[in-house]
Amino acid sequence: MTGAGSLLRLIRNGEAVTRADLVRRTGLARSTVAQRLDALLAHQLVYEAGGSASTGGRPPTVLAFNQGAGVVLVADLGATHSRLVISDLAGAPLAETTFDLDIADGPEIVLAHVNEAFAGLLAEINRGAHDVRGIGVGVPGPVAFSRGEPVAPPIMPGWDGFSVPGWFASHYDAPVLVDNDVNIMALGEHWTHWRDIEHLLYVKIGTGIGCGIVAGRRIHRGAQGAAGDIGHVRLAGHDEVICRCGNIGCLEAVAGGRALASNLTAGGLHAESSRDVVTLVRAGEPQAIQAVRDAGRYLGEVLAGCVNFFNPGAIVIGGDIAEAHQQLLAGVREVIFQRSLPLATGDLRIVPSRLGDRAGAIGAAIMVIEHVLAPEAVDRAIQAGLAA
Ligand SMILES: [Zn+2]
């Protein structure tokens, strides 16, 4: 069924810019196309602009997606640092702010602060709650995506089973999507720079280590939303290291930012966080350079298995430690190309993140936009409008 929503998708993708294009693309009668276009025009999702006179006679009217037809609100919540963005319906940022807030303060305190900041940003751009088409929230822990609830997140006390959509329901009449931060980063990086590649891994190496999986251009979350948790894969030969999860020899406990910082501190340097580790690398401290390169090798050991199993076209490495990417990626590449099968590494790209700490906010906006502008969602909104 080719409803108005499918027509909108053709216009958004640039596959159709005139009524004639839509007739040709969909095989629908001209009158049917006109009727569905009227609905899109009435909802201000599409506008008509004067065409170019290329063939003489009356130029065809050009159709364009109205990316200002609403806004999406995005909160990329980290353990201690958060970024809020308002973007238009094409994902272009309109207003933005960052702040420090401990996610361990619990959902009521954190979300109240987020909501206040959203209101401030909306006022800044002369928009109101009625303009909000959707809300996206990224959190540093596992999430039951279908319910928008964090599930037993280790560093988020009070959030287990908390309904984030339920909290926002009294403030906005718009869908609320919640996902793990690494998944939205993977989506942001893929959508912005790697749309030609079908299968991609995004690895975040900060305090901990996690991996977002893009399979067939979609986020793969797994049966329980736990897919990509490579931080707790066991490395051989590290039985003396106990992980915060209770197991021994986990990748994160050996090569995560927290582990690197405490190892360097034990070796006589001063490092409290993954950012301090990067500062030491940039200062040319040999011990820190060696530690990050080794971390790359350990990460490479786990990723070599992922490459054989999943055969990604690209591995994008982000997170604080990835800012020392020359050292880190040298280690990662060395082990992956040595351990993985040649067929799987033939065209494999292993690259640093290009979006850096903006990847999550961009990905969350895309997640929401694709949800609210999905053809079925647009058709439902138009139906509801007709019924009202
Ligand atoms: Zn562990």
Side-chain angles (χ1 to χ4, degrees):
M1 160 86 186
T2 316
S6 300
L7 266 53
L8 178 64
R9 182 156 66 183
L10 291 170
I11 296 168
R12 278 177 70 209
N13 291 346
E15 291 174 73
V17 292
T18 63
R19 285 169 190 252
D21 289 343
L22 287 171
V23 169
R24 196 163 50 241
R25 286 269 175 181
T26 60
L28 293 172
R30 205 173 168 82
S31 57
T32 311
V33 165
Q35 190 188 18
R36 291 185 182 157
L37 214 40
D38 281 346
L40 293 173
L41 289 162
H43 278 75
Q44 298 183 349
L45 287 166
V46 166
Y47 65 91
E48 291 182 303
S52 56
S54 54
T55 54
R58 196 161 63 104
T61 307
V62 172
L63 302 166
F65 169 53
N66 179 14
Q67 62 191 70
V71 298
V72 298
L73 308 181
V74 163
D76 181 15
L77 305 178
T80 57
H81 190 73
S82 296
R83 178 185 300 270
L84 305 192
V85 177
I86 298 185
S87 79
D88 69 14
L89 295 183
L94 303 172
E96 181 166 344
T97 185
T98 59
F99 54 82
D100 290 326
L101 187 69
D102 198 345
I103 195 125
D105 286 345
E108 295 288 353
I109 290 175
V110 170
L111 294 178
H113 191 92
V114 165
N115 194 48
E116 204 176 303
F118 275 152
L121 290 177
L122 280 168
E124 234 175 70
I125 57 168
N126 294 315
R127 295 279 201 156
H130 60 279
D131 293 312
V132 176
R133 296 287 170 272
I135 299 171
V137 181
V139 296
V143 172
F145 181 74
S146 60
R147 300 196 304 275
E149 296 173 3
V151 181
I155 60 165
M156 299 170 60
W159 291 79
D160 183 23
F162 185 89
S163 171
V164 177
W167 192 91
F168 276 106
S170 57
H171 301 278
Y172 295 96
D173 180 22
V176 180
L177 304 185
V178 187
D179 206 348
N180 175 261
D181 57 356
V182 185
N183 286 346
I184 56 173
M185 287 171 174
L187 187 60
E189 201 78 43
H190 180 261
W191 189 85
T192 310
H193 292 298
W194 299 95
R195 260 184 278 180
D196 292 344
I197 284 193
E198 266 189 79
H199 312 294
L200 171 146
L201 295 178
Y202 175 90
V203 178
K204 179 188 177 192
I205 171 164
T207 306
I209 298 177
C211 176
I213 303 165
V214 176
R217 298 195 170 89
R218 301 173 76 91
I219 292 293
H220 172 82
R221 298 186 174 86
Q224 309 296 335
D229 199 354
I230 61 169
H232 301 281
V233 170
R234 186 172 181 176
L235 290 171
H238 290 276
D239 292 357
E240 77 290 356
V241 181
I242 298 168
C243 181
R244 64 187 167 92
C245 76
N247 288 322
I248 54 169
C250 291
L251 172 64
E252 175 176 306
V254 174
R258 187 186 285 122
L260 298 183
S262 73
N263 290 345
L264 290 173
T265 301
L269 295 170
H270 177 76
E272 285 177 11
S273 66
S274 43
R275 283 178 189 270
D276 293 343
V277 173
V278 172
T279 304
L280 289 169
V281 169
R282 287 192 175 141
E285 189 60 56
Q287 221 181 313
I289 292 170
Q290 188 61 45
V292 169
R293 190 171 279 240
D294 285 345
R297 290 195 184 98
Y298 295 130
L299 178 58
E301 278 188 36
V302 172
L303 288 177
C306 298
V307 166
N308 286 347
F309 180 76
F310 179 62
N311 191 194
I315 298 177
V316 179
I317 311 230
D320 287 346
I321 297 291
E323 288 181 21
H325 55 79
Q326 277 175 320
Q327 286 76 18
L328 185 73
L329 265 66
V332 171
R333 289 190 180 114
E334 177 190 317
V335 176
I336 289 182
F337 287 108
Q338 183 189 329
R339 301 269 178 91
S340 300
L341 298 169
L343 182 61
T345 54
D347 292 322
L348 176 63
R349 308 273 309 272
I350 302 171
V351 295
S353 161
R354 283 198 257 167
L355 296 178
D357 57 9
R358 307 184 53 80
I362 292 169
I366 296 310
M367 168 175 77
V368 173
I369 291 165
E370 290 300 315
H371 177 83
V372 299
L373 294 183
E376 320 79 63
V378 170
D379 290 345
R380 270 198 306 276
I382 287 175
Q383 283 303 323
L386 290 176

